[in-house]
Amino acid sequence: MIHFENVGLRYGMGPEILRDMTFDIPKRSFQFLTGPSGAGKTTLLRLMLMSLHPTRGLIHMFGRDLSQIPRTELPMLRRRVGIVFQDFRLLDHLTTYENVALPLRVRGKDEGAYRNDVIELLKWVGLGERINVLPPVLSGGEKQRAAIARALIDRPEILLADEPTGNVDPPMARRLLNLFLELNRLGTAVVIATHDLGLMDQVNARRMILTEGRLDIYE
Amino acid sequence: MNELSRLRARKVGKPSATEQQPRRTEMHVRPTAPILPASNIQGNALMVVIAIMAFLACLTLGAVSMVRATAASWQSQISREITIQIKPEEGLDMDATLQKARELALTFVGTRSGTIMDDDATARLLEPWLGTGLDLSELPVPRLVIITIDEQNPPDFAAMRDLLASEVPQAFLDDHRTWVDRLVSMAHTTVLIGIGVLVLVFTAMILTVIFATRGALSGNRHIVEVLHFVGAERSFVATEFQKHFLKISLKGSAAGSALAALLFATANLWQSRSLATPESDQATALFGTFTIGFGGYLGIFATMIVIALLTTLTARFTVMRTIDEIDFIRSDPARSEGAPPS
Ligand SMILES: Nc1ncnc2c1ncn2[C@@H]1O[C@H](COP(=O)(O)OP(=O)(O)OP(=O)(O)O)[C@@H](O)[C@H]1O
Ligand SMILES: [Mg+2]
């Protein structure tokens, strides 16, 4: 589904943060992406989201060579990817409900058609009571779950999650992990960037480890 | 695992009515808020600017149309009389020449009658300057023939002038057009200036909106980013901004043009109330009547719509271009040094 070949990336004139990345994210796969802080996990996820161009190398998304795709078509591909940001990126003037519904709104869907889906998903991530609340009054963990719900609402083919358990207690972390596993079982490929070893130990999954710009993969 | 099975049901799209029944309480959500926050100080300032611009545009438009109407009425007014002046010359038989000029003029279609100003009348005309009891035959005073004409069907003044010039070289035809022409051309200049002002006002407005849009874009950059990440197309973002600016500009231009319309209505009212007072007569002489009529109010309304459309289109165009720039900078790691890491 995602294929990287000799991808390298540097910001500005700085050092190469990612070097010779060659890997595949198969359909329906589940993997952790880990590495020390500043290793480039977020950068790698942004490459997979097609919001950053590699300095060199080839990226294929959904079987298509990204360098051959006109920029106007990228949003359509991006809609098949769900992303949870490290810093959530919820819009403060929209309620939890409206934030989660945003991807559907962007796709031009009618509110009546998705209202129940959104509410159901919010209940499912434990935000049933926080539907009409603005993000500034949500706790870190609640924001996290709202961000996850937003990434899931349109049933993406691949979910990229950047530190999705960074702000929740271990039971909640386990619950979110179970959610991701269940999603994966239903056919969504999942990439979880984390440095939470405890979390990774709970699942026997593929690990992609970034160190000093290089990637090692442990199946 | 109850939750997961519910999720699975959602995933495969199976109606999960059986599991849902006890939970079917309708949740209340507020009416969906616009993606761009409705009001902020910048938006209010822009609204005021647009209101002022709309006000100025309407005033200019009103003034221009008033001057144009006045000029048009001047232009169409043909004087009811024209005069033929005969200059005295050595050895000229004045009475015969006057008679001849009168007859020549009356041969034209559109002339009604001709009167030769006799000695008494001419003397009366000159009294203020020369005093009473003068003998005209001793003075080289020009004499006049007054021709009344049919306003609906005026004669061909140019042809008359040519004929007189060839037949009676001492005659001079005055159709009182010169000063009217001068006034009319002055009015035309005023109209041109007004159109220039209008163009300037519109240009200033477009530029203001471009700056405001760019400002709004950078002020709402985080929203643009989130929209990008959830897969929004450029046109979707542009439409959101366009809605935002349409609201602002409709409010602004409505306020401005309403104010202008009110001003015209008040002026009109004042003029009709104080009809025939010296102040009002002076104003009328200077500006024509303040009536801008139904057409004028329609023009004001049209101005309002044009301003709103212009603002909206400018916003859309600017957003499209700016989003392209943002997109380009964001996706290029070589240029994203200053951007917050995400
Ligand atoms: N927009 C940017 N411009 C310049 N440098 C950047 C930018 N974004 C990230 N970097 C740099 O790239 C490196 C990798 O950053 P990145 O955010 O990908 O790390 P990370 O693995 O996600 O770290 P963490 O675990 O702390 O989230 C860092 O050294 C960072 O300073
Ligand atoms: Mg990171």
Side-chain angles (χ1 to χ4, degrees):
Chain A
M1 176 142 50
I2 300 184
H3 174 70
F4 273 50
E5 212 172 294
N6 291 319
V7 171
L9 185 127
R10 69 167 85 236
Y11 284 113
M13 291 284 104
E16 232 176 6
I17 287 167
L18 301 175
R19 244 172 291 154
D20 295 327
M21 299 277 129
T22 302
F23 64 89
D24 273 294
I25 307 280
K27 272 199 166 76
R28 298 165 167 270
S29 60
F30 187 99
Q31 48 260 299
F32 290 109
L33 171 64
T34 187
S37 186
K41 300 182 291 295
T42 303
T43 304
L44 188 54
L45 291 184
R46 275 189 65 200
L47 281 172
M48 293 194 232
L49 187 65
M50 298 161 275
S51 111
L52 193 62
H53 286 313
T55 314
R56 59 193 176 81
L58 267 182
I59 300 181
H60 282 261
M61 292 290 293
F62 306 107
R64 297 180 65 185
D65 181 353
L66 277 198
S67 61
Q68 304 296 316
I69 300 178
R71 266 200 302 167
T72 47
E73 269 182 50
L74 288 181
M76 290 306 158
L77 283 185
R78 205 170 286 130
R79 289 177 186 185
R80 299 163 71 177
V81 181
I83 184 148
V84 183
F85 290 101
Q86 207 166 358
D87 50 359
F88 320 129
R89 305 235 175 169
L90 299 170
L91 297 181
D92 285 349
H93 63 287
L94 298 181
T95 61
T96 312
Y97 168 82
E98 287 161 352
N99 266 292
V100 172
L102 191 64
L104 301 174
R105 228 167 134 181
V106 159
R107 286 151 178 73
K109 294 206 173 127
D110 195 45
E111 216 234 324
Y114 61 67
R115 172 183 284 155
N116 286 333
D117 281 353
V118 173
I119 291 175
E120 208 180 307
L121 182 62
L122 277 169
K123 281 182 185 158
W124 192 77
V125 295
L127 291 176
E129 307 296 311
R130 317 297 277 157
I131 286 177
N132 291 310
V133 164
L134 297 179
V137 297
L138 291 178
S139 77
E142 287 170 333
K143 282 184 200 163
Q144 187 105 61
R145 284 175 276 155
I148 292 173
R150 187 180 62 189
L152 295 183
I153 189 65
D154 198 40
R155 300 163 204 187
E157 289 167 51
I158 177 164
L159 176 77
L160 310 173
D162 202 351
E163 297 288 357
T165 57
N167 286 273
V168 295
D169 55 22
M172 180 50 88
R174 209 167 308 125
R175 205 170 143 217
L176 291 177
L177 183 63
N178 281 335
L179 158 62
F180 293 136
L181 286 169
E182 184 61 22
L183 259 183
N184 177 240
R185 235 166 274 145
L186 292 167
T188 307
V190 177
V191 180
I192 299 176
T194 183
H195 25 220
D196 183 352
L197 286 173
L199 189 77
M200 285 187 281
D201 286 342
Q202 290 175 36
V203 195
N204 185 20
R206 198 173 174 226
R207 294 188 187 182
M208 305 165 73
I209 302 178
L210 273 177
T211 25
E212 290 170 5
R214 305 219 163 259
L215 184 70
D216 299 298
I217 298 179
Y218 299 91
E219 302 287 339
Chain B
M1 278 278 112
N2 175 37
E3 336 172 292
L4 291 185
S5 55
R6 284 210 296 120
L7 180 74
R8 179 178 289 127
R10 198 177 73 87
K11 274 275 159 186
V12 299
K14 184 184 80 185
S16 43
T18 42
E19 292 162 292
Q20 289 279 293
Q21 225 113 58
R23 293 260 217 133
R24 258 285 184 239
T25 46
E26 264 302 314
M27 291 297 298
H28 283 286
V29 293
R30 67 174 191 189
T32 307
I35 288 178
L36 290 174
S39 78
N40 53 35
I41 300 161
Q42 219 180 26
N44 291 341
L46 180 65
M47 195 144 70
V48 172
V49 170
I50 290 180
I52 293 173
M53 297 289 190
F55 180 70
L56 290 182
C58 288
L59 275 197
T60 317
L61 203 76
V64 163
S65 63
M66 257 160 34
V67 172
R68 255 175 63 115
T70 313
S73 77
W74 282 340
Q75 208 163 21
S76 65
Q77 264 169 20
I78 302 288
S79 351
R80 220 151 350 135
E81 294 175 346
I82 56 174
T83 43
I84 300 172
Q85 216 181 81
I86 312 279
K87 284 195 208 103
E89 223 172 65
E90 205 63 43
L92 181 78
D93 179 356
M94 187 49 98
D95 289 330
T97 317
L98 284 169
Q99 199 62 36
K100 189 176 174 199
R102 188 183 97 100
E103 265 150 32
L104 276 176
L106 286 181
T107 57
F108 281 84
V109 206
T111 50
R112 284 221 170 108
S113 61
T115 344
I116 294 170
M117 264 214 186
D118 57 23
D119 283 354
D120 282 353
T122 313
R124 262 203 308 281
L125 209 61
L126 293 174
E127 221 177 64
W129 289 278
L130 302 179
T132 48
L134 51 102
D135 184 1
L136 281 184
S137 57
E138 282 173 11
L139 284 170
V141 174
R143 304 282 302 273
L144 299 177
V145 185
I146 295 170
I147 313 282
T148 56
I149 59 172
D150 180 358
E151 285 167 85
Q152 260 68 51
N153 177 27
D156 182 349
F157 294 119
M160 194 187 289
R161 194 169 280 130
D162 286 347
L163 185 67
L164 280 174
S166 61
E167 297 290 315
V168 191
Q170 298 81 7
F172 171 73
L173 177 79
D174 182 3
D175 60 0
H176 311 307
R177 291 296 304 165
T178 324
W179 69 275
V180 172
D181 282 345
R182 212 169 277 165
L183 276 179
V184 166
S185 82
M186 208 170 77
H188 281 321
T189 317
T190 314
V191 168
L192 278 185
I193 291 174
I195 290 173
V197 170
L198 218 54
V199 168
L200 285 181
V201 166
F202 276 120
T203 313
M205 201 178 60
I206 289 179
L207 288 177
T208 314
V209 170
I210 289 180
F211 287 129
T213 312
R214 286 190 156 257
L217 265 171
S218 59
N220 294 307
R221 179 69 176 271
H222 61 292
I223 300 177
V224 177
E225 293 288 304
V226 168
L227 289 176
H228 161 84
F229 289 125
V230 300
E233 285 175 287
R234 196 172 67 137
S235 57
F236 178 87
V237 183
T239 307
E240 287 306 310
F241 275 89
Q242 188 185 322
K243 274 190 227 162
H244 179 74
F245 280 104
L246 179 65
K247 265 185 237 161
I248 291 181
S249 67
L250 264 184
K251 280 187 207 161
S253 63
S257 10
L259 212 63
L262 204 71
L263 191 78
F264 281 117
T266 321
N268 194 10
L269 200 70
W270 171 77
Q271 209 171 32
S272 61
R273 280 279 200 80
S274 54
L275 208 62
T277 63
E279 294 92 339
S280 154
D281 282 351
Q282 264 169 27
T284 311
L286 261 179
F287 304 118
T289 49
F290 277 116
T291 344
I292 55 167
F294 180 66
Y297 289 107
L298 213 66
I300 287 183
F301 185 71
T303 314
M304 182 188 110
I305 299 294
V306 165
I307 287 178
L309 279 185
L310 214 60
T311 318
T312 312
L313 283 181
T314 312
R316 182 179 187 87
F317 183 71
T318 315
V319 170
M320 289 284 221
R321 279 195 34 189
T322 316
I323 294 259
D324 257 0
E325 277 166 38
I326 292 178
D327 233 24
F328 192 67
I329 291 173
R330 171 176 42 216
S331 64
D332 184 2
R335 294 179 58 177
S336 66
E337 254 175 321
S342 49

